[in-house]
Amino acid sequence: MGGSVVEDNHDLDHDLDLDDTPLASASSKSHQQFHSFDFEDTSVLDLRRSSIFNITRMSRSIYFVLIKAKINLLLPFGPFAILLHYVTGHHGWVFFFTLLGITPSAERLGYATEQLAFYTGPTVGGLLNATFGNATEMIISIYALKSNMIRVVQQSLLGSILSNMLLVLGCAFFTGGLAHYKKVQVFDKAAAVVNSGLLLMAVMGILFPAVLYFTHSEVHQGKSVLSLSRFSSCIMLLAYASYLFFQLRSQQNVYSPVGEGGENGENSDVEEDLELTQWEAIIWLAILTAWVSILSGYLVDAIQGASESLNMSVAFISVILLPIVGNAAEHASAIMFAVKDKLDITIGVAIGSSTQISMFVIPFCVVVGWCMGKEMDLNFQLFETATLFITVLVVAFMMQEGTSNYFKGLMLILCYLIVAASFFVHVDPKSGDD
């Protein structure tokens, strides 16, 4: 009898299946609705969090690039210069305020390049730093070339080489020597020797057309210098391409910055300095390059008028004033790395930039002028060529020991002051080409 009771209870439970009851059905539906609502609510929250994160990330990016640095106080002068151009047309003021506006843009261009260099490695990063550091000079040169201002192109590029080798490197050695006055700062002589050799090759390419012109020994009067310049430019571009291959493939360990503090110290420095993501750095590079291009057009248009209104020669403006603005990025980077006792990177920024201008930018402008039908050549005139030759010799002797101190930096700065004073009293004998 007890067994029949158990069987009856089992049958009763089977007949009254809880899943089939209305209460269970309602409970199941409410449970499914709860899960569905929870999933939708989570996706909405994730979307909101993602959008908030993107806005926050964008705000941080804008803060780091456009607000954080004190030099950004000069950024509004760029739009103000454009406004002055259309309202007043006073070339002196337009030139002055464009210089002020383009200076922070060039420096921020270097900052974005440094941020991108953290993701590409030291070797490619050094090349990127030199390339985008010279973007301002290249843009100004192309605008001037289109306006047939060949002497402005030659003198601004020459001034950029002189500024990098004397002023930028001198300030870096001076500040680094003061920051580490108790020891002698050292750098790798191998990279310095190769760069010095390339600079001497560039001097050779620039010297021979000038000598050919001033000795009146051309086979075809008025054409041989141009033909020699174009041929030499192609050879110099080939040499620079070979140098890049040598630097990136054959001798990577030679040109990688030496981290005396060890890997841990190097990684901590990277984490401390890293402020932008890779794509943010690329986007800011594009934006800043476009803005520098716009300002460069107004700057070139105002050079001749500024020379007359400020009572300064075009040679002084092109050789001294323009490169100081264009080299703002290299100046800040070289000093920063010298203070951190990373002279290998300092040499790569200052001397590497000079090498790139002399072996790539100048020949590139000759080839671009060839394509445009402009007679851009390597005849930089006697005064400028002699200045470049002596400067390369002085810097090569300063770096041959592979050591640095504040006295060497002071000597380079004083040499630059002599060069600046020389161009202040120098008048281009062929002012018609300007």
Side-chain angles (χ1 to χ4, degrees), residues 46-60 277 280:
D46 290 341
L47 185 61
R48 289 178 179 175
R49 287 172 183 169
S50 176
S51 61
I52 292 173
F53 175 78
N54 289 334
I55 293 174
T56 305
R57 184 73 244 182
M58 189 184 304
S59 302
R60 291 182 72 249
T277 65
E280 285 174 348

Side-chain angles (χ1 to χ4, degrees), residues 84-85 87-95 302 309:
L84 277 180
H85 173 80
V87 173
T88 66
H90 191 282
H91 292 294
W93 288 113
V94 172
F95 179 81
S309 61

Side-chain angles (χ1 to χ4, degrees), residues 222-248:
K223 295 182 179 180
S224 296
V225 169
L226 185 60
S227 301
L228 177 61
S229 298
R230 290 171 176 174
F231 175 79
S232 300
S233 296
C234 294
I235 297 298
M236 291 162 71
L237 289 174
L238 179 63
Y240 187 73
S242 303
Y243 163 70
L244 290 183
F245 179 80
F246 173 77
Q247 187 175 14
L248 292 173

Side-chain angles (χ1 to χ4, degrees), residues 397-415:
F397 276 110
M398 287 286 186
M399 296 194 304
Q400 66 178 350
E401 296 178 353
T403 61
S404 166
N405 51 58
Y406 70 89
F407 179 70
K408 286 185 177 181
L410 180 62
M411 294 297 292
L412 291 175
I413 295 173
L414 295 178
C415 287

